Amino acid sequence: MRCPRCDANISENAGRCNFCGQDLAVVQYVRRVSNTYYNLGLEKAEVRDLSGAVAMLKKSLQFDKRNTHARNLLGLIYYEMGETVTALSEWVLSKYLQPEQNEADYYINTIQKNQTALDVTNQTIKKYNAALSSAKAGNEDLAIIQLKKVVSLNPHFVRAQQLLALLYIYTEDYQKAAKCLNRARRIDYNNTTTLRYMQEVGDRTAAVTGKNNTASKKPPKKDPLANVTPVGTYQEEKRSMMPVVQVMMGVVIGIIVCFVLIRPTLQKGSGDSGSQISETNEQLSVQSSQISSLETERDNLKKEIKKLEKQIEDADSEAQKKSESYEKLLTGLKYYLEDDKIQAAVAVADCKKSDFGTADAKQLYTLIGNVSDSEISSLVSHGMSQMNTSYDEAIATFKQVLALDEDNQDAMFYMARCYQQQGKNKKAKNWYEKAIQVDDTSSVATQAEQYLGEVEEALGETSATPEP
């Protein structure tokens, strides 16, 4: 254990530092709390409550970030849940905090030796991100196909199983959703997301079963004779003249109605034709306005569709960018594990911290991309030595320096010298000017100005045309 005040190496159970006299009671208390949370996390991991174990172990690391056992166990749990990149980041940080006698070396070497497993991990990450983008864009079928491939490559990928189950719930295929959730629960028994989805599947299944039972119950048959009333006793009607009289009266009334009502209507018909035409014109104008409003609405819908298509394209490009960032992070991690810190930093030089979604990935990016000034200076010196053998190799080295430090004046100056020696005066002029812009008061800028004059003179001689 090290003293937090003087950083001296002291015994594990010391109550006070032997060098500076610092009271270590609080430090010992914090370590005990961290170990308590580690034991709780270990108990939960033994009963496959992996999500609960992750919460306990993160709490343990909040109290003591140097708790190597807690960090290594956290990496193992992430690896069991299919989060290989997160597991590697935890083991790399563990090795960084405790370089010697660390079990993380065995875990890292085991994964590093199996190149096929790393390639599979890379494929699962890309396919999972593509499936997530397809699901957000509304292409559920394509997302399901991609996620099936992901879970076949990595059956322990809990988040892929959960997303696949969620898509099955969305498409109302509850049996397949239940199978995915059961597979996820065998890996992480008490995951709250899995349990919430299982509850949703159970409620939906019960609702569908209730509807089927209701539909299967046939309504009771009604008596078809219930509304039939009985007929009275038959009696033969006596013959009478009343029907004949009634028919004649009806004919007379019909003739009177024709002369009183129908004839005036026919006479007014010719006079009302003008008003009907005006009413028809008004109806046509109303319909024309409705058509124009519908056309306007159609144009607005087309604009909205184009806007949504652009959002989908932006989402796809963002997902592709994140996938490429994770690929570069894996490449940088590979170089870092091989103790080639320069190549590791160059691999992630084009990335930003905001390109990574998880805190562990951001922390790993910070660890890999951190290169000291002395290492950059040694890389510049290496490029200067390469100028004696190959200008192309020297230029490649100086480009690596500028990828790590874009304002490195020495790298700009010597790259310009390489281009000048190769006869590429335009490129040489460009890099001399950039070197001067960094700091025009330095000695390097003074030399750059001298050589810049030579390059400009050479360009003037080659570009001049003979006078007639």
Side-chain angles (χ1 to χ4, degrees), residues 423-462:
K424 300 177 182 180
N425 293 321
K426 290 185 178 180
K427 291 185 178 181
K429 177 183 177 183
N430 184 24
W431 285 107
Y432 280 136
E433 291 175 347
K434 289 183 178 180
I436 295 170
Q437 289 176 0
V438 173
D439 186 6
D440 56 358
T441 61
S442 64
S443 59
V444 176
T446 303
Q447 295 179 5
E449 289 177 353
Q450 295 176 359
Y451 287 117
L452 179 62
E454 296 178 2
V455 170
E456 289 179 345
E457 184 178 358
L459 289 173
E461 292 177 356
T462 55

Side-chain angles (χ1 to χ4, degrees), residues 23 27 35 70 89 119 131 142 162 173 189 222 226 274 279 306 387 403 440 468:
D23 187 8
V27 176
N35 290 331
S89 66
D119 295 338
L142 179 59
Q162 291 173 345
D173 195 347
Y189 185 77
K222 296 182 179 180
E279 291 177 358
K306 291 181 179 179
M387 292 175 63
D440 56 358

